[in-house]
Amino acid sequence: MNSFYTRIISIALFALCASCSAQDWWNSPPVDSEQYFYGVGEGYTLSQAQDLALNSIAGKLGTTIASEMSRKTQDFSGISSDNVARTIRSHVNDIELGYYTVLHIADSENGTRILVRLDKQELANNWRQQLEKKKNKIIPLLKQGAVNKLSDYLELKSVTHSASEADLLEARLSGISDHTPGPSLRDALAGLMEQSQIRIGVKGELSQVNEWVEQTLAQQGINVCRSDCPTWIEHVARTERDVLFGQHVSTVTLKFSVKENGRLIQSENWSQKVSSVSSSRSADRGAIATALSSMKEQGLWITLGFENTI
């Protein structure tokens, strides 16, 4: 009988100790160190708990990087420490917190609890690899120098977003390592595009379309020429009319072409259908206005068929 009670007491004490051990890492998580960040999370599912733990780490990571950026005196090319911290906290997936280890998992009254650990050095190495990959794509374009062809200009423009990401990676990396940020890649791209020697002529049947194209080019620092232009953006318009159920229906199709030194490098069609109860002319005007509005919303380069250009 004594042996039986002894066994029961031992089991109870073991369970109590296990519970205490679980409470230790939950109530008093390990303190962050030079090498690791720690995070705890509790959720109805293991996945939810893990997401909350990683969000906790992301918050601390953002604060650490922002603090380090504020302390350092390097030029971060207009990237504020608050912006970096906010970006990290808002977009956990974007910073790829893949280098973490699950240290503890335990059941709780509300579901599951978890303790995870993030390795700062492995994360920094991953960011370095991402940064190097982006630089390998962008820097050769910068070394080409002055831009005098539309195709080269659009190639620069297509990597603008990647350059912004590289600048942000440099700022983040400087916050968790001894990395020193270099000159802004985005600023370098913008400067090169502003100095472009591109000359583009615009012609087509619809004056309002020509005017929009010219204004957009001018806003992007591209010279608009009237004759002897190496590059032309042209369009032709075709209108089809019909009457359906007592309404005038107009379908306007705009066919754009982009030619460089006489060679066609891109073409794209835009169509818009509009009906009017008053007249076919009213339907024509409506179709053109609607098509122009849609093109403005998409932007000039997508309108012309350069989908990969931002």
Side-chain angles (χ1 to χ4, degrees):
M1 185 67 70
N2 288 339
S3 176
F4 173 76
Y5 284 116
T6 300
R7 221 174 302 160
I8 293 295
I9 293 172
S10 297
I11 293 173
L13 288 173
F14 178 81
L16 180 60
C17 289
S19 176
C20 289
S21 176
Q23 291 301 316
D24 284 345
W25 62 261
W26 175 255
N27 293 325
S28 300
V31 178
D32 297 333
S33 65
E34 287 293 321
Q35 185 175 359
Y36 299 115
F37 275 124
Y38 295 90
V40 293
E42 182 177 36
Y44 294 112
T45 65
L46 176 60
S47 177
Q48 186 181 42
Q50 181 172 290
D51 287 345
L52 291 172
L54 291 177
N55 270 285
S56 171
I57 290 177
K60 292 188 287 187
L61 181 60
T63 300
T64 298
I65 292 177
S67 175
E68 191 67 13
M69 284 179 64
S70 298
R71 187 183 68 81
K72 292 182 177 179
T73 58
Q74 286 94 347
D75 178 15
F76 287 94
S77 306
I79 301 175
S80 72
S81 56
D82 287 344
N83 179 57
V84 171
R86 184 169 57 252
T87 302
I88 289 176
R89 285 193 292 267
S90 302
H91 305 284
V92 179
N93 292 333
D94 290 351
I95 59 174
E96 298 184 12
L97 297 182
Y99 297 98
Y100 66 87
T101 302
V102 176
L103 299 180
H104 291 289
I105 299 175
D107 292 333
S108 70
E109 293 181 359
N110 298 318
T112 301
R113 290 174 176 174
I114 192 172
L115 170 67
V116 299
R117 181 182 68 193
L118 176 73
D119 190 312
K120 296 181 187 178
Q121 186 59 51
E122 290 190 1
L123 179 63
N125 290 339
N126 176 260
W127 285 353
R128 283 192 185 90
Q129 291 172 7
Q130 291 183 53
L131 180 60
E132 193 66 23
K133 185 176 181 180
K134 293 180 185 298
K135 283 186 172 182
N136 288 340
K137 181 179 180 180
I138 297 168
I139 290 178
L141 298 178
L142 293 174
K143 289 182 177 179
Q144 292 177 4
V147 177
N148 52 29
K149 293 172 59 180
L150 177 61
S151 54
D152 293 337
Y153 176 88
L154 292 175
E155 190 172 14
L156 289 179
K157 196 170 180 62
S158 69
V159 297
T160 299
H161 181 66
S162 183
S164 296
E165 292 179 331
D167 288 348
L168 190 56
L169 272 172
E170 292 235 56
R172 289 173 174 174
L173 193 53
S174 72
I176 60 171
S177 70
D178 58 359
H179 177 79
T180 300
S184 166
L185 292 179
R186 182 181 175 86
D187 287 352
L189 284 174
L192 201 56
M193 287 189 288
E194 287 175 3
Q195 298 169 13
S196 70
Q197 302 171 13
I198 302 173
R199 295 166 55 248
I200 298 179
V202 179
K203 57 185 177 182
E205 299 175 24
L206 301 177
S207 60
Q208 56 267 60
V209 173
N210 293 337
E211 182 180 346
W212 168 65
V213 173
E214 290 182 356
Q215 287 178 347
T216 304
L217 292 175
Q219 288 169 358
Q220 297 188 17
I222 298 176
N223 297 317
V224 177
C225 60
R226 302 299 177 189
S227 61
D228 297 325
C229 306
T231 303
W232 284 95
I233 297 175
E234 306 175 14
H235 79 270
V236 294
R238 184 180 76 250
T239 303
E240 297 178 356
R241 301 180 180 89
D242 200 353
V243 177
L244 295 174
F245 305 107
Q247 294 193 3
H248 300 276
V249 179
S250 290
T251 302
V252 173
T253 300
L254 300 175
K255 182 176 182 179
F256 287 94
S257 62
V258 182
K259 297 178 181 178
E260 195 167 66
N261 297 321
R263 182 176 63 90
L264 180 67
I265 63 172
Q266 189 60 269
S267 63
E268 186 74 1
N269 293 343
W270 282 75
S271 293
Q272 192 68 53
K273 180 185 291 186
V274 168
S275 61
S276 171
V277 295
S278 58
S279 66
S280 59
R281 180 175 296 181
S282 176
D284 290 350
R285 288 196 300 265
I288 293 171
T290 304
L292 185 56
S293 177
S294 177
M295 291 186 295
K296 287 180 179 180
E297 183 178 347
Q298 291 296 320
L300 175 61
W301 303 116
I302 291 180
T303 294
L304 297 176
F306 298 97
E307 284 90 354
N308 294 328
T309 300
I310 298 174

